[in-house]
Amino acid sequence: MKLTVFAATGGIGRLLVDQALDAGHDVTAVVRNPARLTRDVHAVTADLTAPDPEALRGAVEGADGVLSAFGPTSRAQAGITSEGTRAIVEAMQATGARRIVVVSAAPVSTTPSPGRPNPPKHDPGEGPLMRYVGAPMGKLFLGKHFADLALMEDILRESGLDWTSVRPPRLTDKPLSTTYRTAVDRNLRNGALASRADVAHFMLRCLDDPGTVKQAIGIAS
């Protein structure tokens, strides 16, 4: 497949590029600094915090799948993901590209947004520790980030594209296991961690799985 990877030098993006190339896909990497790429791929220079529509259209035109690991690298950058994703969506709509898989986060399942103002108060996959300690603490420190991811999911739902939002809990740098668990529209019981390698692996799997289209999917080790 012809794939476009956004944020291709980040923690998950780099693994998406590696795994896609190893599987024989044709990869276009969209990055702010192509010098940081560690694999020989076609690169498009673009900054999703100040998007260039023409560059983004060129990056996604003809793509069989678009994968986005775009997100903030600090709490101060909370708010950038939804606008960056909006720019990707508009480029895809302009060029006819259809399939997009993005990284979200587990707490978004219970985070309200304009398009989803009344989410469940508690995720059905949460155990007591996560429900009463982990989730409230996470939202206390990263609430703005989760609200922005919830808005990103609104943008995808309204886009008309064939989207999937992957919602991992806390990310680790453990190696690929392929034994991770997933669940549609809920988080995983006792699922406090997920490796970036497993998230990348699942995102690539989603491209060939029609059952993941227009779904938010929890993932955990």
Side-chain angles (χ1 to χ4, degrees), residues 20-194:
L21 289 174
D22 291 346
H25 297 298
D26 179 2
V27 177
T28 293
V30 184
V31 292
R32 284 185 293 181
N33 181 6
R36 293 183 59 197
L37 289 166
T38 58
R39 300 287 294 268
D40 184 15
V41 295
H42 175 61
V44 172
T45 303
D47 183 352
L48 287 175
T49 64
D52 175 351
E54 184 175 355
L56 297 187
R57 287 193 294 268
V60 302
E61 187 168 13
D64 299 306
V66 173
L67 302 129
S68 176
F70 178 63
T73 57
S74 69
R75 289 173 62 186
Q77 289 185 312
I80 66 171
T81 312
S82 60
E83 287 309 305
T85 303
R86 189 188 303 276
I88 296 170
V89 164
E90 290 172 352
M92 293 178 68
Q93 291 168 331
T95 59
R98 296 286 311 163
R99 189 71 173 102
I100 179 169
V101 183
V102 305
V103 179
S104 184
V108 174
S109 67
T110 57
T111 300
S113 66
R116 190 169 168 260
N118 299 300
K121 184 176 181 181
H122 300 295
D123 188 281
E126 292 174 349
L129 184 61
M130 180 59 67
R131 177 172 295 184
Y132 298 111
V133 179
M137 288 295 290
K139 289 183 178 181
L140 176 64
F141 290 102
L142 296 171
K144 290 182 179 179
H145 174 52
F146 299 144
D148 187 51
L149 291 175
L151 180 58
M152 174 192 71
E153 292 191 0
D154 281 353
I155 292 166
L156 293 172
R157 279 190 289 268
E158 296 164 3
S159 68
L161 300 178
D162 296 332
W163 59 271
T164 303
S165 182
V166 178
R167 294 174 173 169
R170 187 162 67 90
L171 293 165
T172 75
D173 289 320
K174 289 185 177 180
L176 177 66
S177 73
T178 72
T179 58
Y180 52 83
R181 299 171 292 145
T182 63
V184 174
D185 202 30
R186 66 177 179 85
N187 297 325
L188 282 301
R189 181 73 63 154
N190 299 319
L193 303 172

